[in-house]
Amino acid sequence: MKRRWWKEGVVYQIYPRSFYDTNGDGIGDLRGIIKKLDYLKELGITIIWLNPVYKSPNDDNGYDISDYQNIMDEFGTLDDLQNLISELHKRGLKLIMDLVVNHTSDEHLWFIRSRSSKQSPFRDYYIWRSGKNGRKPNNWKSFFGGSAWEKDKATDEYYLHLFTKKQPDLNWENPEVRDKVYKMMKWWLDKGIDGFRMDCINMISKEAGLPDTDECDSRKTLRTRPFINGPRVHEFLQEMNTKVLAGYDIMTVGECAGVTTEDAMKYAGEDRHELDMIFQFELVELDFGPEGKWDIGQWKLPDFKNVISRWQKALHGKAWNSNYLMNHDQPRALSRFGHDGKYRRESAKLLATLLLTLEGTPYIYQGEEVGMTNIAFDSINDYRDVATLNFYQEAVGNSMDKKRVMEAIHYRSRDNSRTPMQWDSSENAGFTKGNPWIKVNPNYKQINISEALKDPDSIFYYYKRMIELRKHNPCLVYGDYTLLKDEDENIYVYLRTYGKERFLVILNFSDNISFLKLTEPGSHAEFIIGNYEVSVKTGIDKKMRPYEARVYRL
Ligand code: GLC
Ligand code: CA
């Protein structure tokens, strides 16, 4: 495959609201990010992805944009952003921004005009329909609960919103909408940003006639919905590529829920001229129950290996993978795939080993590098995420047991990853001198960056070493991936091969000692890195301690 900076880079995702507050209003800001750039440089990451920082009434924390070409008041100004870009570039780091163009805020000028009358030149910027026999235009549901249609008084018609009712969907069928979006993208690229993470980008094309969908609730059937991978989505993306993306040396990653590896090759195939890579959801949906996201199921290592292996194999040589274990929409990876109690340190390092030895660009989410964990607020009043609050209302309204509702929220809420960054052991974890917009995780006294930086054996320094290892070994970036069969269902073993170079990765995903039954390859293995003291440095010790991870060069 062609060598590219964004394949060799390591992305760090920043959720600005929770990163670092410099003016004491309890909300992270752009200046806060600038203050912490040396910390990120020390970690070794090379690309930063910023969640939306545009003007927004914050119904969905910035994913409801009212002005694409301005910065949210709480976060700072366009000058601050320009400074951030130059401070990043000075350090050899790149910046990718969130691009949220499936929908806008209902407070965006386009929507204000669109809703004002049926004759407005902006009417067709959004998806308006009249009701059917006094009912909604179809049975689509919002991802955040309730119907995806909202009736608007001014004209007595309904508009579509796949997310909250303050996030009306743009009408991509309208060429004027597309042109405005492309123009806005160029404006940002000309400011010197290095790419986009494209929000819900596989939902921009809706099936003509907006037909009813059979199964509206279960996430498992998401792919069959009339607004997922719609009929014109590839045409739109190719147009965007020709008109905008192709003119810049940038990276793009599309958020694509409900895609298979086949679909991914269409979005991100090397010769397709659409996107560079996509985020798929198979791994982070392994623990969905039959009712979907809020129905908490269990994940099993064999399925986990299967998903990763399938994506590694299918895309190799054809398209580029992106690898993430969490983000701002997911619970903390450590609490989900690792062990956030006794083996917190070991399992966080094990997950780091996995993330940084797969083919594809790795994405680290803020706090993951010091082993931050899920939060469990006792009261629903401490939660802020609109999806969580809506679920609570709906579930309690349907007389589901409150205790069970809170349990589901503790496990799944997006606020698990949105509590403030834990910088040190001072009040509010050193995140703010004021009142944080969401409470800090009380474990910040033990788990924080200042502690991690003092301890050479910390999770932080392990991430740093893994990033370093990846940077110096193209085999870990471009090499072929082979899953090795091991009968033990606690152990995950794979090989990366690149010409004559070979790395073997062994991960024990359990809190028990497990024995490696591997026969092949063996005696000449050279130990490179691991999360425990290892006495045998040549050849492989078959005994794997709880959450032990080791990388060998063969
Ligand atoms: C994406 C974002 C999520 C947001 C939603 C609507 O899934 O990652 O945070 O709520 O889109 O924009
Ligand atoms: Ca602030």
Side-chain angles (χ1 to χ4, degrees), residues 270-448:
E270 289 242 303
D271 50 359
R272 291 273 304 174
H273 305 289
E274 294 189 23
L275 304 174
D276 293 328
M277 59 187 124
I278 63 157
F279 291 132
Q280 48 97 1
F281 281 65
E282 281 196 48
L283 205 64
V284 294
E285 294 186 352
L286 279 179
D287 54 5
F288 280 22
E291 304 291 317
K293 162 175 168 168
W294 294 106
D295 179 12
I296 311 301
Q298 288 210 332
W299 68 277
K300 296 241 161 26
L301 189 65
D303 303 324
F304 186 90
K305 293 194 223 183
N306 248 326
V307 168
I308 296 179
S309 305
R310 194 152 37 72
W311 280 83
Q312 291 282 301
K313 278 278 152 220
L315 269 55
H316 183 71
K318 302 187 186 104
W320 193 247
N321 265 297
S322 73
N323 298 305
Y324 70 97
L325 297 172
M326 67 168 301
N327 57 38
H328 65 293
D329 292 329
Q330 299 293 331
R332 287 270 164 197
L334 174 59
S335 299
R336 189 182 196 181
F337 301 121
H339 188 296
D340 62 10
K342 187 170 169 199
Y343 296 112
R344 190 181 67 88
R345 185 184 291 242
E346 290 78 9
S347 66
K349 292 178 181 178
L350 168 131
L351 294 175
T353 313
L354 169 71
L355 185 66
L356 290 155
T357 55
L358 291 173
E359 182 173 6
T361 302
Y363 289 74
I364 299 169
Y365 180 78
Q366 67 184 43
E368 201 175 359
E369 79 279 18
V370 291
M372 280 177 63
T373 66
N374 276 356
I375 186 78
F377 295 127
D378 292 332
S379 163
I380 188 66
N381 298 325
D382 287 330
Y383 283 89
R384 297 286 175 270
D385 166 33
V386 64
T388 304
L389 299 175
N390 287 355
F391 163 67
Y392 181 87
Q393 287 306 332
E394 239 178 70
V396 170
N398 289 335
S399 46
M400 186 172 155
D401 175 46
K402 270 198 190 155
K403 195 167 150 257
R404 271 188 55 217
V405 175
M406 288 312 284
E407 273 165 17
I409 289 175
H410 291 163
Y411 184 88
R412 185 77 74 199
S413 172
R414 305 195 295 178
D415 283 338
N416 277 314
S417 58
R418 297 177 180 186
T419 61
M421 260 302 251
Q422 295 167 201
W423 292 103
D424 57 42
S425 59
S426 70
E427 205 184 341
N428 288 321
F431 161 71
T432 179
K433 296 251 179 314
N435 210 355
W437 71 277
I438 184 169
K439 283 189 178 165
V440 300
N441 191 316
N443 64 19
Y444 73 88
K445 294 238 155 90
Q446 294 81 48
I447 305 173
N448 65 63

Side-chain angles (χ1 to χ4, degrees), residues 9-180:
V10 175
V11 181
Y12 186 89
Q13 182 190 348
I14 292 184
Y15 196 69
R17 179 164 287 269
S18 301
F19 195 63
Y20 187 58
D21 173 27
T22 56
N23 65 349
D25 65 353
I27 298 174
D29 41 55
L30 294 177
R31 291 185 181 194
I33 300 173
I34 296 175
K35 279 237 162 82
K36 298 297 185 184
L37 290 184
D38 290 330
Y39 164 72
L40 297 175
K41 182 75 190 171
E42 164 81 12
L43 178 58
I45 57 93
T46 58
I47 303 161
I48 285 176
W49 154 28
L50 273 195
N51 283 105
V53 295
Y54 316 97
K55 269 240 183 331
S56 163
N58 280 304
D59 190 49
D60 184 19
N61 286 1
Y63 281 96
D64 47 322
I65 297 169
S66 53
D67 183 352
Y68 287 110
Q69 282 157 282
N70 243 313
I71 301 296
M72 192 188 297
D73 292 329
E74 300 94 305
F75 288 176
T77 63
L78 270 174
D79 276 346
D80 293 333
L81 193 97
Q82 203 71 65
N83 280 341
L84 175 61
I85 297 176
S86 57
E87 289 298 323
L88 280 164
H89 288 170
K90 236 190 252 170
R91 291 169 177 80
L93 305 174
K94 309 256 189 196
L95 177 68
I96 69 169
M97 305 254 296
D98 229 296
L99 180 79
V100 188
V101 290
N102 174 67
H103 45 268
T104 69
S105 162
D106 65 338
E107 297 182 35
H108 193 291
L109 212 54
W110 298 342
F111 190 75
I112 294 175
R113 292 185 176 155
S114 181
R115 86 183 334 169
S116 68
S117 96
K118 287 187 190 169
Q119 282 72 46
S120 161
F122 288 85
R123 186 64 170 181
D124 203 30
Y125 273 44
Y126 295 85
I127 303 173
W128 291 97
R129 294 288 184 277
S130 45
K132 269 193 189 148
N133 316 320
R135 296 208 323 269
K136 318 240 145 116
N138 68 27
N139 69 351
W140 297 4
K141 285 196 175 163
S142 152
F143 284 102
F144 294 159
S147 165
W149 294 96
E150 179 72 10
K151 190 163 181 177
D152 200 49
K153 285 198 198 85
T155 56
D156 228 27
E157 281 192 335
Y158 293 85
Y159 65 86
L160 178 72
H161 60 90
L162 291 179
F163 295 89
T164 76
K165 61 179 184 218
K166 285 184 69 62
Q167 294 168 296
D169 280 53
L170 281 165
N171 177 17
W172 274 71
E173 300 290 324
N174 181 347
E176 219 177 293
V177 167
R178 303 204 298 273
D179 277 340
K180 290 234 169 119

